Amino acid sequence: VVWYGNPVTNVDELKSLQAPVCGIFGRDDVQFPMSLLDKFQTALNEAQIDNVVRIYDGVGHAFWTGMDQIERGDEPQTSAYLQCTDFLKQFFG
């Protein structure tokens, strides 16, 4: 699950992955512009890595900061949290 870090766009590097990728980003994140995120998802697809990459509108970098946001039901933090936990449950069973 990718929340932070530098998205890898090199197809050859991504081909070495042995697991699916879940990417969670904010559309207003100045560190990861949409052009980079588009390249990331394209590279994942070209490397034939199963992936779910979601870009949440109206938020930037570090939009999820703690469980208190989930307990309050803040959006899109709660949706992103559920995306992450559902993905992990599906992968790890």
Side-chain angles (χ1 to χ4, degrees):
V1 177
V2 181
W3 286 77
Y4 304 105
N6 192 19
V8 175
T9 59
N10 182 300
V11 174
D12 291 330
E13 288 180 40
L14 290 170
K15 285 181 180 178
S16 68
L17 294 177
Q18 298 179 5
V21 172
C22 175
I24 299 171
F25 302 96
R27 186 170 304 279
D28 300 335
D29 189 336
V30 295
Q31 292 184 353
F32 306 123
M34 286 304 304
S35 59
L36 174 62
L37 299 179
D38 289 341
K39 288 178 186 174
F40 175 55
Q41 189 159 30
T42 297
L44 285 168
N45 291 336
E46 287 179 15
Q48 299 181 352
I49 301 297
D50 289 337
N51 68 86
V52 178
V53 175
R54 177 137 185 228
I55 314 299
Y56 288 89
D57 291 327
V59 291
H61 193 73
F63 68 92
W64 182 52
T65 57
M67 289 305 295
D68 57 321
Q69 294 171 304
I70 309 312
E71 292 164 359
R72 288 192 305 266
D74 294 357
E75 287 296 337
Q77 291 84 354
T78 299
S79 293
Y81 173 79
L82 291 173
Q83 176 187 347
C84 173
T85 55
D86 289 347
F87 178 85
L88 291 172
K89 287 176 190 173
Q90 186 176 43
F91 183 70
F92 289 108

